[in-house]
């Protein structure tokens, strides 16, 4: 998801803004090589605003750090 957002930002910066209506793809298309559960997760993550997505990533990293370091101490 992070990679997709970065590529989208780069693409939007390079293409003439008049050619990019913001409503082209209102949802993340299904990837047929992924399971239904994984596609649903990807679609939910794609709906997060940037601020909320960053907070979500921070929360995940914090939780992994807490679990890992609590486990090895």
């Amino acid at each position: 998801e992070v990679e997709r957002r970065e590529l989208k930002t780069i693409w939007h910066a390079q293409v003439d803004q008049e050619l990019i209506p913001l409503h082209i793809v209102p949802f993340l298309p299904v990837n047929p090589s992924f399971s239904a559960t994984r596609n649903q997760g990807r679609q939910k993550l794609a709906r997060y605003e940037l601020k909320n997505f960053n907070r979500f990533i921070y929360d995940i990293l914090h939780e992994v750090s807490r679990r890992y370091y609590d486990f090895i101490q």
Side-chain angles (χ1 to χ4, degrees):
E1 179 58 23
V2 172
E3 183 178 325
R4 185 191 68 79
R5 285 175 185 255
E6 289 174 351
L7 289 175
K8 180 180 173 186
T9 302
I10 292 168
W11 184 78
H12 278 282
Q14 294 176 350
V15 174
D16 183 6
Q17 294 302 310
E18 293 177 7
L19 299 176
I20 307 172
L22 296 176
H23 62 281
I24 290 177
V25 181
F27 60 91
L28 185 64
V30 172
N31 185 333
S33 64
F34 295 154
S35 68
T37 305
R38 185 170 177 185
N39 274 311
Q40 288 173 355
R42 290 174 63 240
Q43 289 173 337
K44 288 179 183 180
L45 286 175
R47 284 188 246 156
Y48 277 22
E49 301 268 336
L50 183 59
K51 182 179 177 183
N52 293 334
F53 183 72
N54 288 341
R55 181 64 192 181
F56 178 68
I57 296 298
Y58 173 82
D59 290 343
I60 289 173
L61 294 174
H62 177 73
E63 182 65 17
V64 168
S65 175
R66 184 189 66 80
R67 289 181 185 191
Y68 178 73
Y69 289 115
D70 284 350
F71 180 72
I72 63 172
Q73 290 180 357

